Amino acid sequence: MGKPKTIDSFFKRKSNANEEESSKRQKETGPDTGPDTGPETGPSQVEEASNQQELVFSESPLPQTSNDVEPSKLERDPAKRKQLLDYPVNLREQVRLAYLNLGAYQIRLTNYPSKGSAKHKRKFQFAWFGVFPGWLEYSPTEHKCYCFYCFLFNDKSSLNNGQDAFTVKGFDCWNRVNGKHCAFRQHVASNHHKNVVAFTENLLNQKQHIEEKILKFNDDEIMNNRLRLKASIDVVRWLTYQACALRGHNESSSSKNQGNFLELLQLLATYNDDLAKVILENAPYNAKYVSGDIQKQILSILANKIRRYIRSEVGDGYFCVMVDESRDESKRSKWL
């Protein structure tokens, strides 16, 4: 008769022939160091204006993005980057947060190309980034301006009233920048731009999101449940230590004496306003922690803790149990 199998043998990992061959190959050739990344590329010819990268209304650190969106792989050039409409719906918010961490694409070129006739040539000015901070971007490939905020929320199939000029097509009418009817100022005053700025502020204000509200509500509920249960445990422990009965004959709300447990719990509530707000009639119907079953469970836990402490204190030492008896009038023995 063979040796019986143990339960560990059923969960023991079986060796694989491919794994054995790969382990032998690693021992012979050494560990794999990964593909050769090649030489690093040289520095870029354009210099980014880092002092204009931050949002003007953001004071707290930006939220972190998930691992699904890597900021290093996002296209910075406004004319080359993919529109938000082309991203999956479940990733658009992560893409927005990643771009917000990078900031608007504001670069300083040695020479901005001019446009127009020989007498009235105009070109982009780097100083405009300081006049319109946060949202103004420039593409070095198309030599056009774009709106950073409008791009972040351009997730609709069509835009009306020339709204795609600063998102998809780009703006390069430099003769319309200076003067009374400045195209940049008209864009900032438009309702569409105001809406996307409000959307950006709401996206950055993570404390007002519904997820944060739900988490805060759950945290408050957990704290109230813990306070309510702690009060019941303390009442049971004190009454048990004083060898007092817990339950009463009549524990209804109209009773003048609801028993030691409920009466002592109400007494504690008179000295603690936080406790009074979460126990008895102020507690949820399914989480009052005052029923007889709850009291028995608390007593059982306390009894197990006492037994465990006695066993740890006695250990392997010797002990004895003293037994005595007494007889009543009927001559019957009663063990004490």
Side-chain angles (χ1 to χ4, degrees):
M1 186 173 181
K3 184 178 179 181
K5 293 184 177 181
T6 61
I7 192 171
D8 296 336
S9 63
F10 290 95
F11 299 96
K12 187 177 181 181
R13 183 178 180 182
K14 297 181 180 180
S15 60
N16 194 353
N18 296 332
E19 294 181 358
E20 294 178 357
E21 293 179 1
S22 61
S23 62
K24 291 180 179 179
R25 192 181 303 110
Q26 290 182 359
K27 291 181 180 179
E28 295 175 357
T29 61
D32 187 9
T33 58
D36 187 9
T37 57
E40 297 182 356
T41 58
S44 177
Q45 296 180 355
V46 296
E47 179 184 359
E48 297 189 4
S50 58
N51 57 343
Q52 299 293 337
Q53 293 287 337
E54 298 180 356
L55 294 172
V56 295
F57 50 79
S58 177
E59 297 181 358
S60 58
L62 298 176
Q64 297 295 328
T65 58
S66 64
N67 295 329
D68 298 334
V69 180
E70 297 183 9
S72 60
K73 295 182 179 181
L74 295 177
E75 177 62 47
R76 298 301 312 278
D77 193 335
K80 293 182 178 180
R81 62 192 176 193
K82 186 167 61 173
Q83 296 296 321
L84 263 293
L85 182 64
D86 300 331
Y87 287 95
V89 178
N90 58 338
L91 289 180
R92 291 178 185 177
E93 183 173 344
Q94 300 300 328
V95 173
R96 292 189 184 101
L97 292 175
Y99 270 110
L100 285 172
N101 279 287
L102 296 174
Y105 192 62
Q106 300 175 344
I107 64 173
R108 181 194 296 272
L109 299 180
T110 56
N111 184 22
Y112 292 96
S114 58
K115 182 182 178 181
S117 61
K119 295 182 179 180
H120 303 283
K121 283 189 176 181
R122 300 288 188 273
K123 63 180 180 179
F124 182 84
Q125 302 294 330
F126 181 79
W128 291 344
F129 286 139
V131 180
F132 305 98
W135 67 270
L136 186 61
E137 295 183 299
Y138 185 83
S139 172
T141 57
E142 297 292 336
H143 300 290
K144 295 181 180 180
C145 287
Y146 295 83
C147 179
F148 181 56
Y149 299 156
C150 293
F151 157 74
L152 294 177
F153 293 92
N154 182 24
D155 53 357
K156 296 182 180 180
S157 57
S158 62
L159 292 175
N160 300 322
N161 300 327
Q163 296 172 358
D164 58 348
F166 285 90
T167 54
V168 180
K169 296 180 179 180
F171 177 84
D172 58 352
C173 299
W174 312 127
N175 58 341
R176 295 180 51 195
V177 177
N178 297 323
K180 181 178 180 181
H181 301 286
C182 178
F184 289 168
R185 298 188 186 277
Q186 291 177 356
H187 176 72
V188 173
S190 64
N191 293 330
H192 177 72
H193 183 81
K194 292 179 180 180
N195 291 335
V196 296
V197 171
F199 295 157
T200 307
E201 291 177 349
N202 294 333
L203 179 61
L204 294 177
N205 192 5
Q206 295 286 322
K207 294 182 179 180
Q208 298 298 326
H209 286 199
I210 185 64
E211 295 85 357
E212 296 294 331
K213 293 293 184 181
I214 294 176
L215 292 176
K216 185 178 183 302
F217 176 78
N218 292 338
D219 293 340
D220 295 341
E221 187 177 3
I222 291 173
M223 295 301 297
N224 293 337
N225 289 337
R226 288 179 178 177
L227 179 61
R228 193 180 304 116
L229 181 59
K230 184 177 183 300
S232 298
I233 294 175
D234 291 341
V235 171
V236 171
R237 185 171 58 180
W238 189 88
L239 292 176
T240 305
Y241 185 78
Q242 297 298 331
C244 298
L246 274 68
R247 308 294 301 277
H249 296 288
N250 184 7
E251 295 185 348
S252 62
S253 58
S254 59
S255 176
K256 295 182 179 180
N257 187 359
Q258 296 180 331
N260 293 333
F261 179 84
L262 294 179
E263 293 292 339
L264 183 56
L265 194 62
Q266 294 177 5
L267 178 63
L268 293 178
T270 59
Y271 289 93
N272 192 329
D273 295 336
D274 295 336
L275 179 62
K277 295 177 181 178
V278 298
I279 65 170
L280 300 177
E281 65 273 2
N282 295 329
Y285 179 78
N286 59 344
K288 293 182 179 293
Y289 304 133
V290 295
S291 64
D293 294 336
I294 294 296
Q295 297 176 25
K296 292 178 182 178
Q297 291 180 13
I298 296 174
L299 280 173
S300 177
I301 294 173
L302 294 176
N304 291 334
K305 291 179 69 66
I306 292 175
R307 294 191 191 98
R308 192 180 303 110
Y309 178 78
I310 293 174
R311 288 196 296 267
S312 64
E313 188 178 25
V314 173
D316 298 332
Y318 297 98
F319 65 93
C320 63
V321 178
M322 296 181 62
V323 179
D324 197 359
E325 69 172 0
S326 62
R327 293 185 178 184
D328 55 9
E329 295 181 356
S330 61
K331 306 299 182 181
R332 294 181 179 179
S333 301
K334 292 185 177 181
W335 298 97
L336 301 178

